[in-house]
Amino acid sequence: MAGWDEGNIFYSDQRYLAEEEEEETYTRNQAKRKFVEFIRSYQDHSEGSDALDVYVYRDQLSRQKNKLYVDLEDVKAFDEDLCELLKRSPVIYLPLFEAAASEVYASLQNKNAEGEEPETQEVQVFLESQTQFGPASLRELSSEHIARLVRISGIVIAASKTKSKATHMTIMCRNCNNTKVIPCSAGFGSTQLPRRCDLLHTENQSERCPLDPFVVLPDRSKYVDMQTLKLQENPEDVPTGEMPRSMMLSIDRHMVQRIVPGTRVTLVGIFSIFQQNNKRGGGAVAIRQPYIRVVGLEEHVEGNARAAPTFTYEEEQEFREFADSPDVLEKVFSKVAPSIYGHPDVKRAVACLLFGGSRKILPDGVRLRGDINVLLLGDPSTAKSQFLKFVEKTAPIAVYTSGKGSSAAGLTASVIRDPQNGEFYLEGGAMVLADGGVVCIDEFDKMRPEDRVAIHEAMEQQTISIAKAGITTVLNSRAAVLAAANPPSGRYDDLQTAKENIDLQSTILSRFDLIFIVKDERNFDRDVQIARHVVGVHQKATEEHGAFDKRRAADESFMKRFIEYARSRCTPRLSEAAARILQDEYVRIRQEIKKSAEQSGGQPPVPITVRQLEAIVRISESLARMSLKSVANEAHVREALRMFRVSTIDAARSGVTEGIVFTPEQRQEMVNVEAQIKRRLPVGSYMSTKNLLREMGRLGLSEPSVRRCLIFLSQQGDVDFRRERRVVYRSH
């Protein structure tokens, strides 16, 4: 007869008695007492906890007063049935848990304050869990999980403004001034006002109150802060060819204004439904929109795909042994895009991009980025897009996008109007979704200039500032950028200058740490080796499909875990000797570029600035991180300088030089060709390059000499190239 003194009304109903007795383990009063006992008496008996007499939640409640963070594993260890009730019916038992916490807090205050009444204060209970329960992703949520506790991970892509949600609403009858307080459901749930006044009228007041007499008294109602978020699946969890799923979240009280778009979170919440208001009226009454009412929110740590990545002891030993091998750098480079033949320096750059340098915070609060940005510029069919696809698969966090289909808002962030209430909210773009990872941008040259300018801030300061529609905020975009582009004419033209081939502004070029010119060289021996490699890849993929896939999957999994381990456990810094070498080499490179610029009489196409010095520092740190070293030594700096010279410096010196030096025979030939071109092309006239070459060929002039003369005349300002060099215009 336990519970006979709880004040319950006992009755007999033969229809539902059996089912109800089987369902409920505890009555509500018993559950509340259990929660009070749990908060008062639970001690941490796990391994590694020295003080076993510490009351975890009682001490936490006395410190934080109005917040209590509860681990569901502790509730399960205390009472497994109570934990199951909390997971199965959180709408009923979570308010009991919060009431129990308020009761314990009041009793603690009573003990501390002498002779004073304890103040009653509401306590918000946050539920946390390190183990997965319920559906693992948004895709697995179904109708059977409604009104149950779920644990979901994802990325927040939008956040609304803070609103006030009524918890208890005071209403008054217009006829008799009768007031009453009605509770409001949490989340997006609405409350119906009573249609009749329940006041007992006296004989003098014979007329009854009409239907719908109540009005709301806003100043006497009770409110809490509430915010709406939009959660989307992590980009790496979306199946190939599928659209990412999203879900609305409702957060309130102390969780409000803690999360900005682009943050990766793991939440514990109640899967709920609500009736969506349709402005046009109508809509199916039985159809409800799903959402999650969040009761616990855990923000993922910076720069990792998961919060506080965990590694087994065997994994750590394997990584340490791999890093201690003398040729660890060569092993890492060999695992980068093994299906692509050649391009050893590009593979090294991609490996440096995946590992990244160390982020730094200066004493004055300035942050220095550690992510490495790489640009691949060159001919078609040189595996540029394959490098991007490899990085998308290997990086713990990666977003792939194409330049032609990407706008400024799609890359950074957009302000969207909510169709229900008309308010504006932020939705993060690719750079925000890839926070802590890599953004792969293909066809970088096809982007519109105004869209390309939008990512300047994201590439250097690693933030995105928004000031639109009354929303002013700063979003994080701590991501590396790997971009692939083609020259303006489609192929890299050795007869053009580097400035003409690299048709990008110096402001965007200076933000790339490494710039590679990838050429499709016509060499017989190299073509034979490439053909043999490509055919071999196709043969292996066809004959040994299962074994080849397993081996490749194992290498990709090891590479991804090793990158995650190195980024989370290793933050190298430059040694004194390495710093001196870097200073001297940077000054020497600046002098060389200055001397070549003076000889050519123009500015270098790729500026060598302090950003490039920081780029060499980041590359050195990433090389040290590959071997799990805490200090970047002289060897790392020399390798970084070599990579910088074969990439950015070679790109600045590629193509024909500005000042062309001719022999006497070439000069005489140039004079003849120039005279024929000017005779055929009057000032102010157009002609296609193809027709001009054909007519000059009829006069016995070779095509290389005509092209060389046209480049010389364009540098002199006599002719201009139009429409991607397909048309020649005589200007002087």
Side-chain angles (χ1 to χ4, degrees):
M1 294 295 292
W4 62 272
D5 58 342
E6 292 180 358
N8 293 338
I9 298 175
F10 293 91
Y11 63 94
S12 176
D13 191 336
Q14 302 299 327
R15 292 175 299 169
Y16 304 113
L17 187 60
E19 289 83 350
E20 289 182 0
E21 284 184 354
E22 288 178 2
E23 286 181 2
E24 291 194 3
T25 309
Y26 296 114
T27 63
R28 297 194 181 191
N29 284 340
Q30 288 174 337
K32 184 177 177 181
R33 290 178 185 177
K34 280 286 185 181
F35 285 132
V36 170
E37 182 184 351
F38 168 75
I39 297 172
R40 285 180 179 277
S41 61
Y42 183 78
Q43 295 176 329
D44 189 6
H45 295 283
S46 61
E47 296 181 6
S49 57
D50 300 330
L52 296 179
D53 57 344
V54 174
Y55 296 95
V56 182
Y57 297 108
R58 192 174 70 185
D59 295 346
Q60 184 191 144
L61 193 59
S62 62
R63 288 194 311 269
Q64 297 186 347
K65 298 183 180 179
N66 53 7
K67 292 185 287 186
L68 183 64
Y69 295 89
V70 178
D71 194 340
L72 286 173
E73 295 298 314
D74 295 343
V75 181
K76 187 176 181 180
F78 176 77
D79 190 328
E80 191 168 348
D81 294 335
L82 192 66
C83 183
E84 283 301 315
L85 282 176
L86 195 57
K87 289 181 180 179
R88 193 170 67 241
S89 304
V91 178
I92 298 173
Y93 291 96
L94 186 60
L96 296 177
F97 205 164
E98 294 187 345
S102 300
E103 184 179 317
V104 173
Y105 176 73
S107 65
L108 292 176
Q109 292 295 103
N110 192 18
K111 291 182 180 179
N112 295 333
E114 298 179 358
E116 295 181 2
E117 288 293 329
E119 59 178 20
T120 58
Q121 184 172 350
E122 290 188 359
V123 178
Q124 184 176 8
V125 174
F126 298 89
L127 299 181
E128 300 174 346
S129 178
Q130 298 300 321
T131 58
Q132 181 64 42
F133 62 87
S137 66
L138 289 176
R139 291 176 180 272
E140 298 178 13
L141 285 173
S142 62
S143 58
E144 64 183 14
H145 300 111
I146 291 176
R148 292 177 181 259
L149 213 59
V150 295
R151 183 180 184 271
I152 299 292
S153 296
I155 182 168
V156 176
I157 61 171
S160 71
K161 295 179 182 177
T162 304
K163 295 173 286 190
S164 295
K165 165 77 173 177
T167 56
H168 291 83
M169 202 158 50
T170 303
I171 58 177
M172 183 182 71
C173 177
R174 287 190 296 252
N175 188 44
C176 61
N177 293 336
N178 173 34
T179 60
K180 62 185 299 185
V181 178
I182 58 174
C184 301
S185 56
F188 294 156
S190 59
T191 301
Q192 296 290 334
L193 295 181
R195 302 204 64 186
R196 293 185 180 276
C197 179
D198 54 359
L199 183 66
L200 296 175
H201 299 285
T202 61
E203 295 180 359
N204 298 330
Q205 191 178 2
S206 58
E207 67 176 64
R208 301 179 60 184
C209 297
L211 278 177
D212 301 324
F214 287 104
V215 292
V216 180
L217 303 178
D219 53 341
R220 294 172 60 181
S221 301
K222 192 174 181 181
Y223 302 93
V224 294
D225 291 331
M226 176 182 170
Q227 190 179 16
T228 303
L229 304 179
K230 191 175 182 182
L231 185 77
Q232 183 177 293
E233 287 180 295
N234 290 319
E236 62 270 15
D237 296 337
V238 180
T240 304
E242 295 281 342
M243 291 287 289
R245 303 281 177 88
S246 60
M247 179 75 67
M248 300 300 292
L249 307 180
S250 169
I251 60 175
D252 56 11
R253 292 179 281 182
H254 299 289
M255 287 186 285
V256 168
Q257 291 185 335
R258 274 182 47 198
I259 304 297
V260 297
T263 307
R264 290 173 178 253
V265 296
T266 297
L267 61 92
V268 175
I270 305 170
F271 187 46
S272 311
I273 55 176
F274 74 102
Q275 176 70 45
Q276 187 171 6
N277 294 326
N278 194 348
K279 289 185 178 180
R280 299 177 182 177
V285 178
I287 297 178
R288 298 290 190 269
Q289 297 296 322
Y291 76 100
I292 297 177
R293 181 158 70 90
V294 180
V295 297
L297 197 61
E298 182 182 0
E299 186 177 350
H300 289 183
V301 295
E302 176 184 330
N304 287 315
R306 303 288 183 271
T310 56
F311 303 93
T312 63
Y313 178 75
E314 291 77 12
E315 279 184 320
E316 292 196 13
Q317 288 296 110
E318 184 182 6
F319 294 150
R320 291 287 178 185
E321 291 175 3
F322 179 76
D324 290 339
S325 59
D327 57 343
V328 57
L329 295 182
E330 295 301 326
K331 288 182 179 178
V332 171
F333 299 150
S334 66
K335 293 180 181 295
V336 175
S339 61
I340 299 175
Y341 177 81
H343 302 303
D345 292 321
V346 177
K347 291 184 178 181
R348 289 169 181 259
V350 169
C352 291
L353 177 139
L354 288 170
F355 283 86
S358 302
R359 289 195 183 99
K360 306 173 187 70
I361 302 177
L362 303 184
D364 57 353
V366 176
R367 296 175 180 268
L368 299 179
R369 68 178 171 98
D371 297 298
I372 298 172
N373 302 326
V374 178
L375 173 64
L376 306 179
L377 181 83
D379 297 336
S381 184
T382 49
K384 299 189 298 298
S385 298
Q386 290 299 320
F387 277 116
L388 268 64
K389 285 294 184 183
F390 170 79
V391 170
E392 184 199 9
K393 289 190 302 180
T394 307
I397 302 172
V399 174
Y400 182 93
T401 180
S402 180
K404 193 64 177 176
S406 302
S407 63
L411 285 172
T412 55
S414 56
V415 177
I416 296 176
R417 184 191 292 270
D418 191 346
Q420 268 73 42
N421 50 26
E423 72 172 18
F424 294 97
Y425 63 90
L426 273 179
E427 189 159 314
M431 301 287 288
V432 177
L433 296 182
D435 184 30
V438 183
V439 179
C440 302
I441 306 177
D442 206 354
E443 308 292 346
F444 192 65
D445 57 308
K446 310 299 188 302
M447 291 177 64
R448 293 178 299 181
E450 56 268 24
D451 295 336
R452 206 180 295 136
V453 169
I455 66 174
H456 281 196
E457 180 192 1
M459 289 183 66
E460 188 61 37
Q461 281 74 38
Q462 296 201 311
T463 57
I464 293 172
S465 301
I466 298 294
K468 300 176 183 177
I471 299 176
T472 304
T473 185
V474 177
L475 306 178
N476 288 323
S477 61
R478 297 156 295 195
V481 176
L482 177 61
N486 297 113
S489 59
R491 299 186 66 87
Y492 197 86
D493 193 349
D494 290 324
L495 293 174
Q496 297 183 26
T497 62
K499 193 171 185 179
E500 293 170 333
N501 276 316
I502 307 174
D503 189 25
L504 296 172
Q505 293 180 351
S506 58
T507 52
I508 193 77
L509 288 176
S510 65
R511 286 168 165 79
F512 283 104
D513 301 327
L514 296 173
I515 300 173
F516 283 92
I517 303 296
V518 187
K519 298 181 183 178
D520 184 14
E521 298 176 353
R522 293 166 178 81
N523 185 307
F524 178 78
D525 295 334
R526 186 169 179 273
D527 290 345
V528 170
Q529 292 174 345
I530 290 177
R532 185 181 299 120
H533 175 81
V534 172
V535 172
V537 167
H538 281 267
Q539 284 180 329
K540 290 179 181 178
T542 305
E543 294 174 2
E544 305 170 14
H545 183 72
F548 185 72
D549 277 355
K550 287 180 182 177
R551 186 171 66 250
R552 183 175 60 187
D555 286 345
E556 288 177 359
S557 176
F558 174 82
M559 189 75 171
K560 182 178 287 190
R561 293 289 285 171
F562 183 61
I563 291 169
E564 197 171 358
Y565 180 80
R567 289 175 70 100
S568 62
R569 304 294 172 88
C570 187
T571 55
R573 294 289 187 271
L574 281 178
S575 65
E576 290 293 333
R580 285 195 297 271
I581 294 175
L582 188 53
Q583 294 170 13
D584 298 339
E585 287 296 325
Y586 171 71
V587 174
R588 186 177 299 125
I589 291 173
R590 288 271 292 184
Q591 293 300 319
E592 290 176 2
I593 294 296
K594 180 183 177 182
K595 191 179 296 182
S596 63
E598 289 175 351
Q599 291 177 356
S600 61
Q603 293 295 325
V606 182
I608 305 300
T609 62
V610 179
R611 282 179 178 163
Q612 276 61 47
L613 175 62
E614 292 181 340
I616 302 173
V617 173
R618 286 190 285 268
I619 297 166
S620 306
E621 292 171 350
S622 67
L623 292 170
R625 183 175 270 178
M626 292 178 198
S627 51
L628 300 181
K629 298 283 178 59
S630 59
V631 177
N633 54 30
E634 298 93 320
H636 297 140
V637 170
R638 295 189 188 281
E639 174 62 18
L641 284 166
R642 188 197 69 79
M643 291 176 59
F644 186 73
R645 286 185 177 276
V646 301
S647 59
T648 307
I649 300 299
D650 281 3
R653 294 173 177 169
S654 61
V656 297
T657 57
E658 295 283 347
I660 303 177
V661 181
F662 298 108
T663 62
E665 293 81 7
Q666 288 176 332
R667 186 173 298 279
Q668 183 60 41
E669 183 184 16
M670 186 68 64
V671 170
N672 296 334
V673 174
E674 181 180 351
Q676 294 294 339
I677 290 175
K678 289 184 176 180
R679 184 179 299 137
R680 180 63 187 83
L681 202 63
V683 176
S685 61
Y686 293 88
M687 191 174 187
S688 70
T689 308
K690 187 176 180 181
N691 291 339
L692 182 61
L693 291 173
R694 188 186 298 117
E695 292 197 10
M696 292 296 108
R698 291 172 185 169
L699 298 176
L701 301 175
S702 64
E703 182 177 335
S705 61
V706 176
R707 287 187 178 276
R708 196 180 302 117
C709 183
L710 287 173
I711 293 173
F712 179 75
L713 291 175
S714 67
Q715 292 173 0
Q716 298 299 322
D718 292 337
V719 300
D720 290 332
F721 290 105
R722 305 283 176 85
R723 299 178 185 174
E724 296 183 350
R725 303 180 66 86
R726 292 197 297 268
V727 175
V728 181
Y729 171 69
R730 173 82 182 277
S731 56
H732 293 90

